[in-house]
Amino acid sequence: MATTTPRPEDVLPGSALLSDDDRAELLRCMLLMRILEERAMTLYRQGKVPGSFYDGFGQEAVSVGAAFAMAPEDRLCILHRDLGAHVVRGVAPARILAQYMGRSGGVTGGRDANVHFGDASLGCVGMISMLPDMMLVAAGMAMAFKLRGEARCALTWFGEGSTSRGDFHEAMNWAGVQRLPVIFVLENNQYAYSTPTSAQFAVDPVEHAAAYGFEGVTVDGNDVEAVWDATRHAREKAVAGGGPTLIEAMTMRMHGHAAHDDMRYVPPELLEHWRGRDPIDLYTTRLTELGIDAEALREEVTATVDAAAADALASPMPDPARVRDGVFCEGEAVPLGDGRAPWSGWRDPDRSAAAR
Amino acid sequence: MATTTPRPEDVLPGSALLSDDDRAELLRCMLLMRILEERAMTLYRQGKVPGSFYDGFGQEAVSVGAAFAMAPEDRLCILHRDLGAHVVRGVAPARILAQYMGRSGGVTGGRDANVHFGDASLGCVGMISMLPDMMLVAAGMAMAFKLRGEARCALTWFGEGSTSRGDFHEAMNWAGVQRLPVIFVLENNQYAYSTPTSAQFAVDPVEHAAAYGFEGVTVDGNDVEAVWDATRHAREKAVAGGGPTLIEAMTMRMHGHAAHDDMRYVPPELLEHWRGRDPIDLYTTRLTELGIDAEALREEVTATVDAAAADALASPMPDPARVRDGVFCEGEAVPLGDGRAPWSGWRDPDRSAAAR
Amino acid sequence: MTVLTYLGAISDGLREEMRRDERVLVMGEDVGAFGGAFKVTDGFLDEFGPRRVMDTPLAESGIVGTAVGASVVGLRPVCEMQFSDFVACGFDQLVNVAGKMHYRQRLAVPITIRLPSGGGFSGGPFHSQNPEAWFMHAPGLKVVAPSTPEDAKGLLIGAIRDPNPVCFLEHKHLYRRVKGEVPEGAYATPFTARVAREGEDLVVIAYGAMVHTALEATEGLEGASVEVLDLRSLVPLDEEAILAAVRKCSKVVVLDEANRTCAAGAEVAALIAERAWEDLDGPVVRVATPDVPIPFSPPLESAVLPSVERVREACRDLLAY
Amino acid sequence: MTVLTYLGAISDGLREEMRRDERVLVMGEDVGAFGGAFKVTDGFLDEFGPRRVMDTPLAESGIVGTAVGASVVGLRPVCEMQFSDFVACGFDQLVNVAGKMHYRQRLAVPITIRLPSGGGFSGGPFHSQNPEAWFMHAPGLKVVAPSTPEDAKGLLIGAIRDPNPVCFLEHKHLYRRVKGEVPEGAYATPFTARVAREGEDLVVIAYGAMVHTALEATEGLEGASVEVLDLRSLVPLDEEAILAAVRKCSKVVVLDEANRTCAAGAEVAALIAERAWEDLDGPVVRVATPDVPIPFSPPLESAVLPSVERVREACRDLLAY
Ligand SMILES: Cc1ncc(C[n+]2csc(CCOP(=O)(O)OP(=O)(O)O)c2C)c(N)n1
Ligand SMILES: Cc1ncc(C[n+]2csc(CCOP(=O)(O)OP(=O)(O)O)c2C)c(N)n1
Ligand SMILES: [Mg+2]
Ligand SMILES: [Mg+2]
């Protein structure tokens, strides 16, 4: 049995490494993801977001928790339910809203759509639609780290439906046979578009990990600290030469696949159950008990998003005259840069020792 | 632990279903494969076989044993180490030698090379080079059988190296989630071209089966009755609605990947070990003990191959004037036909009851 | 005759053929309960049941490969790629297994691959591609691309009945924008070209969505009489119809929405340059999308896709040549 | 200058660049201890060690995808497809991940994909393909195809140094058949065309192995002066060199070994038909392989691949036009 659900005593030592500021930052990032996506949805309804609109409502803990465990020199491939990871890495909110609206100020300058972006200067590779192609790109980055003997790791996310594609297997096998410092975060949100897991696979995909020679763990995807801690453990192992980890985060897609999808195919009681486990509500309660002012945070974030929306709306549409530029790189190839890594552990030598 | 090596008591009931004629036929097919390939190799050295030459020397028990368990209405995708399966299904030796030589009398009439053939009228789909693409074709045939509620199954072979390709995963997952009547025979002959298993995967690939929701078994690939019995069990399960089986046949590629390959990369002692376990020698000894005249069989087969070589050499080269014909099917689509199924169980009602 | 959208005609054709031939089944991602990303198979699950309307795992190589297997034992799978872009993930099975099967061993592979293709609605680089030229360059595959509801239904039925693998390109931007009269019942449209408008001074050769662009761009173009040839089928390519149109008009604009290099339009232009050279009164003009991924933002996307204006411009210049 | 085979020149170029730039590594099936199916990397494992000469699992999507990942963090992977045919299994990663990366997010993907391609030695349908046109039709990929040892070395080094994904088509039939002088040391050959032979009456435009077919076919062709243009690079395509040659010769035969429809030759012919139409004194003649899988048996294979005779015939007819 490959699966192990972290027991409290596993979580605790990790939690001991989180300062109140860290916790506030975790909540802030989840709130920023939630409120940014809500705003983007409004802009979409107003006809200001072209194409289709995808969000990660209810899955905020998965992208925020995992990204929060990454060091500046680590590299990420961020997927379509993971806006929180962009936020953690330091992408400015205004650039995210401009991205949805196809403005010149967006991360891709209007070249790619909605969630198909990544800020290379912050160590992120933008996803492509074909799922889960980025698993191989993440494995390749990890391969380079290992070949150069660097204590860094790569991480990517993907949904449970994506595990049916051949690239899942090729990436898992590559990571296993070469013992790569890579972390695969499997977001099991119960559905792939309208397809339930029963039509996707016979056995929970976390069970595959053992047959590739590495560990598969299952965590509560709606508990941001649990996700963070499992990822932190996986990163420690990875940079120490212990190889890859498959982390399955159990969660639920609370909205339709995209804005047009009314989710008629999802049993209401299932949504009901998960609505009671909203990751932001859960964490808000917890931090309030710890004396952290969650309300203030929410107000701050709302103000940030208001300002970001104004900036994004002020950003002009891209210039068609330059539409053919950049199909090829004309200058030097510039590798990915370092990202923002807010966890205090990266600053505090003792704590970071635990993770580095 | 997905692996189970059949214990004697598993094998016995199966063996009880084999008549002396069946055993003689098993040996005859292995001998025919061996002597046909030796003859083809001679023709290759004489410059009569264009392109490259692949054989399955030392692996005869895997293709013969598995194919022998198949009923006429079952369907097969036969791979490049599996000439014995063509022999079991009834492809005439002369057509096989003509195939190697690119003659008009060959199974593909000179259109495809060496082992890339299958006689559609005998229920076989010719392999393509891309490995292991045929796994999906086999799964698709099984899918059709299941959709139509037919008690038939599909079977294909592939090497351990091929398990690294995405199509392996997509086929395994498809078979598992739809519980298809398909049998996957994994020929673990230790090498993929020059690549040892250590560079291919971290864990023996039979271990994957459980994570797809079906059984994986390991058998001695050099014991033709063991391979037959494991396949017979798998077929019974498949046609009874029990779903797929992954059978790993442990064996050794005794020749180079192809004729040009001197196998410098294989440790001599490894070859030495397996030379002592030649499937034909082992079975010859066993049948001789049972009073079957193996020598007579060998002479008969040699005579057959001599005659086949003469016929094949008499077959003209294909007519270039018709080279553009048949890119498209112009008439009706004709599905695969039934193949030869020599096992007495398909005739004897009691015995076949055990398998049908 | 009933009036249907292009999308409705595709559904209608598929439904009619499934009623007529029980060997036909549809398979793909979300084609069952959801009725497909574009609702082409809406209601099919109720009418035909899960054995003939199959939600597959998220695996395009698997969809094509298992369809090939099902077809060689007697079924007639119609596979839906959720977007044509994703066929890249099943490319090998389509090109190497399906395409080469009959030539190699005389085994027919009667499968249809439905490819919702094309741009024009801010789909971005991965939801707007026109992959047809890749398959035109892969022997053994047929390729059709209807522009009207009537042809969408007839070509789909023709594709399903064809004993070969057929790539059926259905243009997403036509789904609900185009309506037209569609005959009742099941009928197969031949894989040949169709004159969309008769003319004498110049011919625009196009297929799929670009046929509408061509018609609009050349509507009463300063009194010139412009013919529009709708190829409908790219493999087989109706060479005679193309050469006849050039013979008649002597001036030709080849229009397609795909990236320019090695596109269907390149093949048509090369064919004309070799076999109709003497009939030409001017250069063979091509209008296509430049070689860039299709950008998402509306001003960028409309700057690359062939527009009515660009086509009109090209025709004007050539007429004045 | 030393005399090397085409194969030796590829090895030499790869070795030189690996010595010069430690970011360069080779990865592929059996490239290590075995030195590659064609021995291009023979001895590399000993010289550069397993970290820079990597035997990969049997997985082309994995090879391309991990190479992309390694390249965006600073390495320069050179991937070997054991045969170019197998790139179909890594098609999506190459076309959708590598090809579109820089346009979408200004992130360079400096990888080289070595594609041993072409027929002529009874390789059959799966070991003889010429896939270049697929990649010419995929924005963001460069495509080069050398015909001589000197260019094989220089274009490979140029491909490795290029900050973009480059498909390097090395023709298997040239590996040991072609020898030539090769400069010592590391040098990059520009991605432009080269006049293989000057001429005035007719130009044959070709690349890869067909350049040799063109030279042989037109050697002293009844006193006519025939130019042979070796494209060397297909993306970027040296349009100026093509147009200049047509301007000069007025008659053109476009030759390639790939299946005819939508091949590189179609693009070249279409380019000429549009931009050099006024310079033409005859039709743009194409010689290519018909749209059939490449058959195995020698009489069948030589019936489809463009032969010296067919090319000579085509030139004779066009000269007499
Ligand atoms: C290769 C491929 N095929 C089809 C699609 C279309 N598609 C987009 S998202 C999706 C469902 C993905 O499900 P899952 O992997 O569980 O991720 P989730 O959206 O649930 O987070 C599908 C089928 C795709 N993106 N890629
Ligand atoms: C997709 C693909 N890539 C590469 C090859 C080239 N190739 C032919 S056989 C082979 C090794 C196959 O090893 P294995 O699957 O173990 O089968 P074996 O030959 O050992 O029986 C390789 C790499 C191929 N046939 N298909
Ligand atoms: Mg999901
Ligand atoms: Mg092997």
Side-chain angles (χ1 to χ4, degrees):
Chain A
M1 176 69 164
T3 320
T4 71
T5 313
R7 284 138 288 130
E9 55 275 29
D10 293 343
V11 179
L12 267 162
S15 301
L17 296 171
L18 290 174
S19 68
D20 279 4
D21 288 354
D22 290 329
R23 295 198 158 86
E25 179 61 13
L26 282 168
L27 181 58
R28 198 187 66 82
C29 290
M30 289 199 289
L31 284 165
L32 194 44
M33 172 176 174
R34 169 83 47 102
I35 295 170
L36 272 172
E37 289 187 337
E38 285 171 340
R39 185 63 55 96
M41 184 57 156
T42 307
L43 293 166
Y44 175 82
R45 293 231 177 75
Q46 294 169 346
K48 295 201 174 72
V49 171
S52 41
F53 178 75
Y54 308 83
D55 71 15
F57 191 102
Q59 299 179 220
E60 292 85 354
V62 182
S63 54
V64 170
F68 202 76
M70 294 291 100
E73 66 274 17
D74 296 334
R75 299 294 179 254
L76 284 60
C77 303
I78 302 171
L79 264 80
H80 55 296
R81 308 293 178 200
D82 309 323
L83 190 68
H86 293 291
V87 167
V88 170
R89 293 299 278 186
V91 181
R95 295 180 65 219
I96 292 172
L97 292 177
Q99 166 70 22
Y100 285 112
M101 294 190 286
R103 306 294 176 109
S104 56
V107 181
T108 67
R111 281 159 179 242
D112 207 343
N114 46 62
V115 286
H116 297 91
F117 70 91
D119 188 329
S121 70
L122 297 174
C124 303
V125 183
M127 68 176 283
I128 75 160
S129 288
M130 290 69 190
L131 299 170
D133 287 24
M134 305 316 289
M135 285 181 76
L136 281 166
V137 176
M141 297 194 289
M143 182 175 77
F145 299 153
K146 175 158 190 179
L147 290 173
R148 291 189 300 219
E150 300 167 344
R152 304 159 62 182
C153 81
L155 180 146
T156 190
W157 292 260
F158 52 94
E160 86 295 337
S162 305
T163 63
S164 297
R165 266 289 315 291
D167 280 12
F168 165 82
H169 172 67
E170 295 194 16
M172 292 285 284
N173 185 55
W174 210 280
V177 71
Q178 297 192 0
R179 286 184 75 72
L180 299 177
V182 62
I183 301 169
F184 296 126
V185 181
L186 194 177
E187 281 177 276
N188 189 337
N189 64 1
Q190 320 293 327
Y191 285 87
Y193 207 146
S194 74
T195 306
T197 55
S198 57
Q200 202 69 249
F201 39 69
V203 177
D204 188 294
V206 75
E207 299 297 331
H208 283 294
Y212 293 105
F214 56 92
E215 190 188 9
V217 302
T218 301
V219 298
D220 177 352
N222 288 25
D223 176 341
V224 68
E225 290 192 16
V227 174
W228 170 76
D229 200 51
T231 313
R232 186 185 61 82
H233 276 292
R235 185 187 183 280
E236 280 183 43
K237 182 176 69 178
V239 297
T245 305
L246 174 65
I247 298 173
E248 179 180 40
M250 300 305 297
T251 183
M252 177 68 196
R253 196 192 72 208
M254 299 301 291
H255 283 171
H257 168 63
H260 67 272
D261 172 12
D262 63 11
M263 292 205 291
R264 212 171 313 154
Y265 49 83
V266 179
E269 49 297 351
L270 184 61
L271 287 170
E272 232 1 276
H273 165 75
W274 284 92
R275 211 168 276 119
R277 307 204 62 261
D278 180 83
I280 291 179
D281 294 350
L282 292 174
Y283 205 51
T284 301
T285 315
R286 179 151 176 208
L287 295 207
T288 311
E289 286 162 3
L290 294 174
I292 295 168
D293 184 347
E295 243 341 284
L297 268 174
R298 178 178 288 276
E299 281 157 24
E300 174 213 319
V301 169
T302 308
T304 306
V305 173
D306 289 340
D311 291 356
L313 285 161
S315 169
M317 278 299 186
D319 176 7
R322 313 216 24 238
V323 70
R324 296 184 188 205
D325 300 355
V327 173
F328 292 106
C329 172
E330 308 292 348
E332 267 303 297
V334 180
L336 297 166
D338 288 351
R340 174 175 169 268
W343 178 43
S344 59
W346 302 126
R347 292 185 301 282
D348 170 339
D350 323 340
R351 282 193 179 133
S352 59
R356 263 190 163 140
Chain B
M1 174 69 167
T3 319
T4 71
T5 312
R7 284 141 287 125
E9 53 277 28
D10 293 341
V11 179
L12 267 163
S15 301
L17 296 171
L18 289 175
S19 68
D20 280 5
D21 288 353
D22 291 329
R23 294 198 159 85
E25 178 62 12
L26 282 167
L27 180 59
R28 198 186 66 82
C29 290
M30 288 199 290
L31 284 165
L32 193 45
M33 172 174 173
R34 170 80 50 99
I35 295 169
L36 271 172
E37 289 188 336
E38 285 171 340
R39 184 63 54 96
M41 184 57 155
T42 308
L43 292 166
Y44 175 81
R45 292 229 178 76
Q46 295 169 345
K48 295 200 175 73
V49 171
S52 42
F53 177 75
Y54 308 84
D55 70 16
F57 191 102
Q59 299 178 221
E60 293 85 354
V62 182
S63 54
V64 169
F68 203 76
M70 294 292 99
E73 65 274 16
D74 296 335
R75 299 294 179 252
L76 284 60
C77 303
I78 302 172
L79 263 78
H80 56 294
R81 308 294 178 198
D82 308 324
L83 190 68
H86 294 291
V87 167
V88 170
R89 293 299 277 187
V91 181
R95 295 179 66 219
I96 292 171
L97 292 177
Q99 166 69 21
Y100 284 111
M101 294 190 286
R103 306 294 177 108
S104 55
V107 181
T108 66
R111 283 163 178 239
D112 207 342
N114 47 62
V115 288
H116 297 93
F117 71 91
D119 188 328
S121 70
L122 297 174
C124 303
V125 183
M127 68 176 282
I128 75 159
S129 288
M130 291 68 190
L131 300 169
D133 287 24
M134 304 316 290
M135 285 181 77
L136 281 166
V137 176
M141 296 193 290
M143 182 175 78
F145 300 153
K146 176 158 190 178
L147 290 172
R148 291 189 300 219
E150 299 166 343
R152 303 160 63 182
C153 81
L155 180 147
T156 189
W157 291 261
F158 51 93
E160 86 294 337
S162 306
T163 63
S164 297
R165 269 283 321 287
D167 280 12
F168 165 82
H169 172 67
E170 295 193 17
M172 292 285 285
N173 185 56
W174 211 281
V177 72
Q178 297 192 0
R179 285 183 77 73
L180 299 177
V182 62
I183 301 168
F184 296 125
V185 181
L186 194 177
E187 279 177 279
N188 189 338
N189 63 1
Q190 320 293 328
Y191 285 86
Y193 207 146
S194 74
T195 307
T197 56
S198 57
Q200 202 69 249
F201 39 69
V203 177
D204 188 294
V206 75
E207 299 297 330
H208 284 294
Y212 293 105
F214 57 91
E215 189 187 9
V217 302
T218 301
V219 298
D220 177 353
N222 288 25
D223 177 341
V224 68
E225 291 193 15
V227 174
W228 170 76
D229 200 51
T231 312
R232 186 184 62 80
H233 277 291
R235 186 187 183 279
E236 280 183 42
K237 182 176 70 178
V239 298
T245 305
L246 174 65
I247 299 173
E248 177 180 40
M250 300 306 296
T251 183
M252 177 68 197
R253 196 192 72 206
M254 300 302 291
H255 283 172
H257 168 63
H260 68 270
D261 172 12
D262 64 12
M263 292 206 290
R264 216 173 313 151
Y265 49 83
V266 179
E269 46 302 350
L270 184 60
L271 287 170
E272 234 358 278
H273 165 75
W274 285 92
R275 211 166 278 120
R277 305 205 61 263
D278 180 82
I280 292 180
D281 294 349
L282 291 175
Y283 205 52
T284 300
T285 316
R286 179 151 177 209
L287 295 207
T288 312
E289 285 162 4
L290 295 174
I292 295 169
D293 186 346
E295 243 340 285
L297 268 175
R298 179 178 288 275
E299 281 158 23
E300 174 213 316
V301 168
T302 308
T304 307
V305 173
D306 290 339
D311 291 355
L313 285 161
S315 169
M317 277 297 183
D319 176 7
R322 313 213 25 236
V323 69
R324 296 185 187 204
D325 301 354
V327 173
F328 292 108
C329 171
E330 307 294 347
E332 267 304 296
V334 180
L336 297 167
D338 287 351
R340 174 174 169 269
W343 177 42
S344 60
W346 303 127
R347 293 185 300 283
D348 170 340
D350 324 340
R351 283 197 179 129
S352 61
R356 266 194 157 140
Chain C
M1 289 278 188
T2 46
V3 173
L4 293 176
T5 59
Y6 182 89
L7 181 86
I10 294 170
S11 301
D12 189 45
L14 192 50
R15 195 183 297 104
E16 292 279 0
E17 196 60 11
M18 286 181 78
R19 287 174 179 168
R20 211 188 58 82
D21 183 351
E22 63 177 13
R23 298 171 305 172
V24 181
L25 77 158
V26 299
M27 51 192 286
E29 296 149 9
D30 309 293
V31 297
F34 196 72
F38 297 99
K39 300 296 181 185
V40 167
T41 53
D42 202 11
F44 279 48
L45 182 62
D46 296 342
E47 176 169 357
F48 301 104
R51 285 160 174 267
R52 296 183 65 194
V53 184
M54 186 189 296
D55 273 333
T56 65
L58 199 172
E60 285 72 16
S61 191
I63 291 169
V64 178
T66 56
V68 170
S71 75
V72 295
V73 294
L75 294 182
R76 297 263 169 159
V78 178
C79 305
E80 173 175 301
M81 295 286 117
Q82 200 157 75
F83 283 79
S84 70
D85 308 69
F86 302 124
V87 75
C89 303
F91 191 80
D92 170 52
Q93 283 283 341
L94 187 51
V95 160
N96 286 319
V97 180
K100 298 178 173 67
M101 184 82 80
H102 191 267
Y103 185 75
R104 294 168 53 234
Q105 53 187 311
R106 297 288 187 268
L107 179 60
V109 178
I111 63 173
T112 301
I113 310 293
R114 288 184 40 236
L115 297 166
S117 65
F121 49 89
S122 299
F126 304 106
H127 293 75
S128 309
Q129 296 177 71
N130 295 284
E132 52 272 16
W134 288 334
F135 304 118
M136 294 172 70
H137 192 58
L141 302 176
K142 292 189 177 180
V143 181
V144 297
S147 69
T148 68
E150 175 171 2
D151 287 346
K153 177 176 176 179
L155 286 174
L156 179 57
I157 292 173
I160 297 170
R161 294 181 187 176
D162 196 287
N164 298 287
V166 181
C167 297
F168 181 85
L169 290 133
E170 43 189 71
H171 200 292
K172 300 187 294 290
H173 204 38
L174 297 180
Y175 275 154
R176 295 184 164 81
R177 266 170 67 238
V178 174
K179 278 196 175 57
E181 297 244 306
V182 176
E184 320 262 332
Y187 60 92
T189 300
F191 292 1
T192 56
R194 164 187 82 94
V195 175
R197 188 209 291 127
E198 291 276 354
E200 284 168 4
D201 305 333
L202 179 149
V203 58
V204 182
I205 301 176
Y207 61 93
M210 287 297 114
V211 171
H212 302 276
T213 306
L215 287 169
E216 187 180 342
T218 56
E219 184 60 51
L221 187 65
E222 45 245 23
S225 150
V226 178
E227 177 150 315
V228 174
L229 185 69
D230 177 355
L231 291 172
R232 297 201 299 195
S233 174
L234 300 173
V235 179
L237 187 64
D238 193 340
E239 301 192 346
E240 283 327 305
I242 292 167
L243 298 174
V246 176
R247 230 176 282 119
K248 174 173 154 197
C249 302
S250 309
K251 292 185 173 182
V252 56
V253 171
V254 181
L255 168 64
D256 62 13
E257 187 187 305
N259 293 113
R260 178 186 190 89
T261 297
C262 292
E267 180 59 30
V268 170
L271 170 76
I272 293 167
E274 181 161 21
R275 311 239 328 256
W277 185 74
E278 294 176 341
D279 304 313
L280 288 170
D281 284 344
V284 182
V285 174
R286 272 194 295 168
V287 179
T289 296
D291 294 326
V292 303
I294 308 306
F296 158 68
S297 192
L300 298 181
E301 183 180 29
S302 42
V304 297
L305 297 183
S307 63
V308 165
E309 295 62 36
R310 259 173 75 205
V311 176
R312 186 175 291 138
E313 210 42 52
C315 293
R316 265 215 205 86
D317 297 351
L318 187 55
L319 282 165
Y321 182 89
Chain D
M1 287 281 189
T2 46
V3 173
L4 293 176
T5 60
Y6 183 89
L7 182 84
I10 293 169
S11 301
D12 189 44
L14 192 50
R15 195 183 297 105
E16 292 280 359
E17 196 60 11
M18 286 181 77
R19 287 175 180 168
R20 214 188 56 82
D21 182 349
E22 63 177 14
R23 298 171 306 172
V24 181
L25 77 158
V26 299
M27 51 193 287
E29 296 150 10
D30 309 292
V31 297
F34 196 70
F38 297 99
K39 299 296 180 185
V40 167
T41 54
D42 202 13
F44 279 49
L45 182 61
D46 296 341
E47 176 169 359
F48 301 106
R51 285 161 174 264
R52 296 184 64 194
V53 184
M54 186 189 295
D55 273 333
T56 66
L58 198 171
E60 285 71 16
S61 191
I63 291 169
V64 177
T66 56
V68 170
S71 75
V72 297
V73 294
L75 294 181
R76 297 263 168 159
V78 178
C79 304
E80 173 175 301
M81 296 285 118
Q82 200 157 75
F83 283 78
S84 69
D85 307 69
F86 302 125
V87 75
C89 303
F91 190 81
D92 170 52
Q93 284 283 341
L94 187 52
V95 160
N96 286 319
V97 181
K100 299 179 171 69
M101 185 81 81
H102 191 267
Y103 185 75
R104 295 168 52 235
Q105 55 187 311
R106 296 289 187 267
L107 179 60
V109 178
I111 64 172
T112 301
I113 310 292
R114 288 184 39 235
L115 298 166
S117 65
F121 48 89
S122 300
F126 305 106
H127 293 74
S128 309
Q129 296 177 69
N130 295 285
E132 52 271 17
W134 287 335
F135 304 117
M136 293 173 70
H137 192 59
L141 302 176
K142 291 189 178 180
V143 181
V144 297
S147 69
T148 67
E150 176 171 1
D151 287 346
K153 178 176 176 178
L155 287 173
L156 180 55
I157 291 173
I160 298 170
R161 294 182 188 175
D162 196 286
N164 298 286
V166 182
C167 297
F168 181 85
L169 290 132
E170 44 189 71
H171 200 291
K172 298 186 295 290
H173 204 37
L174 297 180
Y175 274 154
R176 293 184 165 82
R177 266 170 66 240
V178 174
K179 277 197 177 54
E181 297 243 307
V182 177
E184 320 262 335
Y187 61 93
T189 300
F191 291 2
T192 56
R194 166 188 81 93
V195 175
R197 188 211 289 128
E198 292 278 353
E200 285 169 2
D201 305 333
L202 178 149
V203 60
V204 182
I205 301 176
Y207 61 92
M210 287 297 115
V211 171
H212 301 277
T213 306
L215 287 168
E216 188 181 340
T218 56
E219 185 60 49
L221 186 67
E222 45 243 26
S225 151
V226 178
E227 177 151 314
V228 174
L229 185 68
D230 177 355
L231 291 172
R232 297 201 299 196
S233 173
L234 300 172
V235 179
L237 186 63
D238 192 340
E239 302 192 345
E240 282 327 305
I242 293 167
L243 299 174
V246 176
R247 229 176 282 121
K248 174 173 152 199
C249 302
S250 309
K251 291 184 173 182
V252 56
V253 171
V254 181
L255 169 63
D256 62 14
E257 187 187 305
N259 292 115
R260 179 187 189 88
T261 298
C262 292
E267 180 59 29
V268 171
L271 170 76
I272 293 167
E274 180 160 23
R275 311 246 321 261
W277 185 73
E278 294 176 338
D279 304 314
L280 288 170
D281 285 345
V284 182
V285 174
R286 270 194 296 167
V287 179
T289 297
D291 294 327
V292 304
I294 307 307
F296 158 67
S297 192
L300 298 181
E301 183 179 28
S302 40
V304 297
L305 297 184
S307 63
V308 165
E309 295 62 38
R310 259 174 75 204
V311 176
R312 186 176 291 136
E313 209 44 50
C315 293
R316 264 214 206 85
D317 296 351
L318 186 55
L319 283 165
Y321 183 90

